Amino acid sequence: MSLIFVGYDTEEVDLSQWGQTNEIQSINAEPFIADKGIFAISDSAITTNEGKKTLLTGFRKIYDITAKLWEPSFSPGGDFTGYHHIHSRYNIIVGFVGSTLVAQHILNGITGHLEHLKISCKKRPVNSLQKIEYIVNLPCEDNVLVHPPMLTQWDETTFTPRDFEGLITGKFLAHAIEHSINASIRSAREHRLDYEEFKQMYTDIFCGVYCPISREHQVYIFRMKAKEEDGVMIAYTEMEKLSKNDIAVLGMRLDFEQDAKEIFMKVKHNGDNAVIALENFMSDCIDKVHSRGSSEIDRPIVSKRLEQGLITKKNI
């Protein structure tokens, strides 16, 4: 079992510090909320026997992943020669609760997709002013540069740096992760899982990204779901964007989700530091679990932060 808290680190800013008059502030009914990044707090235990025994502590449940966007290269004559240069990088945090084996398989899939994003193109409709639209291909998708249907040479007006602007957004990265998760667990269909077997592979994922276009931090939650087809459980996931005024709890939700959300709302209302409050609450949760003779979660507590692409970490 595991426990993770993830959400947005925000701060209410006094606009008077920026030269706003009281009259202007009174007009603005809503206070200005500064976006300070994303926080994710987790325990670090691997347990067995329904949490009665701890196998390992210090196990990572929140990972740093760097998405890499590769740009195409061309010969002087306009022939595509491959992807040799990284155009840009995007740091992401990804965390999981559930089956460690399934999670590792999913993380491998996410990394395999995000490290090999490639700039490509597709044809626009006939009546469009521009003949092609620039896109980002996942490595598992058909790429017209690699396997061109007709056109094999490109002139100097195509694939310019300006054409690459705005191709990567936070939502695109989240969709790529959602695709990676579903691709990773698709093979489970072949093994005709029943409900008990589905519970054994159950894994929830979150990701935190910084969108370079909107310049906002975004958290997406991927909870594993199942649908029954001919007596077989089909596992899949759908992404859900976390509201700015909420936190997500992954793992042990029945035990601690309501209390965590109440603490978060209370400290935000009082203007206190939500991250510190939830780090302390994570410690209280571990003590409470230990007091009933269980080792489902354990220290050290790991607290990570993503702010404008920079990831920091501390152990508690």
Side-chain angles (χ1 to χ4, degrees):
M1 187 58 73
S2 301
L3 183 61
I4 293 179
F5 306 140
V6 58
Y8 303 98
D9 189 11
T10 59
E11 180 181 21
E12 186 173 325
V13 177
D14 182 1
L15 294 179
S16 64
Q17 298 178 5
W18 299 87
Q20 290 248 24
T21 65
N22 291 333
E23 181 180 356
I24 294 177
Q25 291 181 58
S26 65
I27 295 174
N28 297 329
E30 294 294 329
F32 178 74
I33 305 297
D35 181 359
K36 297 176 61 180
I38 295 167
F39 67 85
I41 305 163
S42 78
D43 84 296
S44 60
I46 295 182
T47 62
T48 187
N49 194 23
E50 298 182 350
K52 297 298 182 181
K53 184 176 179 58
T54 300
L55 289 177
L56 296 170
T57 55
F59 181 79
R60 280 198 301 165
K61 300 179 182 180
I62 306 172
Y63 288 75
D64 307 346
I65 295 177
T66 300
K68 298 175 183 178
L69 179 63
W70 295 78
E71 63 178 79
S73 298
F74 300 91
S75 70
D79 294 313
F80 170 71
T81 60
Y83 290 93
H84 308 301
H85 305 287
I86 297 175
H87 175 267
S88 49
R89 293 176 170 86
Y90 308 90
N91 289 330
I92 301 166
I93 55 174
V94 175
F96 74 90
V97 301
S99 167
T100 55
L101 291 176
V102 173
Q104 191 60 59
H105 181 54
I106 290 173
L107 288 169
N108 289 341
I110 293 173
T111 302
H113 279 81
L114 293 187
E115 288 187 346
H116 301 282
L117 303 175
K118 294 180 172 64
I119 296 172
S120 187
C121 67
K122 65 180 181 180
K123 285 186 177 181
R124 288 185 180 272
V126 178
N127 58 350
S128 299
L129 295 177
Q130 301 294 329
K131 293 183 179 180
I132 60 174
E133 175 184 355
Y134 296 95
I135 61 173
V136 177
N137 272 148
L138 299 179
C140 57
E141 294 177 328
D142 291 336
N143 188 329
V144 297
L145 293 182
V146 179
H147 302 289
M150 292 183 297
L151 183 63
T152 58
Q153 291 185 318
W154 305 84
D155 64 39
E156 60 186 11
T157 65
T158 59
F159 291 96
T160 67
R162 187 172 182 178
D163 297 324
F164 304 157
E165 295 176 359
L167 289 179
I168 293 291
T169 64
K171 190 173 183 179
F172 174 88
L173 293 171
H175 275 300
I177 292 173
E178 180 186 44
H179 168 86
S180 302
I181 297 171
N182 283 321
S184 297
I185 62 179
R186 188 173 297 131
S187 63
R189 302 185 181 194
E190 303 171 7
H191 303 290
R192 303 185 64 84
L193 302 181
D194 60 24
Y195 180 69
E196 289 301 319
E197 291 165 332
F198 168 75
K199 288 198 301 182
Q200 292 179 26
M201 69 171 288
Y202 185 90
T203 305
D204 281 343
I205 305 282
F206 84 85
C207 77
V209 303
Y210 177 69
C211 178
I213 304 304
S214 65
R215 298 185 182 276
E216 69 166 351
H217 296 89
Q218 300 170 356
V219 175
Y220 294 88
I221 310 300
F222 309 88
R223 300 199 187 274
M224 191 173 286
K225 301 178 180 180
K227 54 187 177 182
E228 186 174 346
E229 294 182 3
D230 300 325
V232 178
M233 303 302 294
I234 306 298
Y236 69 100
T237 191
E238 292 178 342
M239 75 179 194
E240 176 184 350
K241 186 178 180 182
L242 182 66
S243 166
K244 293 290 184 182
N245 298 316
D246 198 6
I247 63 166
V249 177
L250 282 70
M252 303 193 76
R253 296 175 67 190
L254 292 178
D255 296 88
F256 301 118
E257 183 174 58
Q258 182 176 345
D259 289 343
K261 288 178 177 288
E262 289 177 357
I263 289 171
F264 177 75
M265 295 304 296
K266 181 178 180 180
V267 297
K268 298 301 291 183
H269 177 76
N270 294 338
D272 297 328
N273 190 306
V275 177
I276 293 177
L278 287 169
E279 288 171 349
N280 292 335
F281 181 58
M282 177 68 76
S283 183
D284 293 340
C285 294
I286 293 172
D287 290 338
K288 184 175 181 179
V289 169
H290 288 183
S291 70
R292 62 193 190 201
S294 175
S295 301
E296 292 173 279
I297 53 177
D298 209 342
R299 296 178 179 83
I301 296 167
V302 176
S303 183
K304 281 200 173 185
R305 178 187 183 89
L306 172 69
E307 184 174 9
Q308 296 185 15
L310 178 65
I311 299 173
T312 56
K313 169 190 171 183
K314 67 177 178 178
N315 290 341
I316 303 170

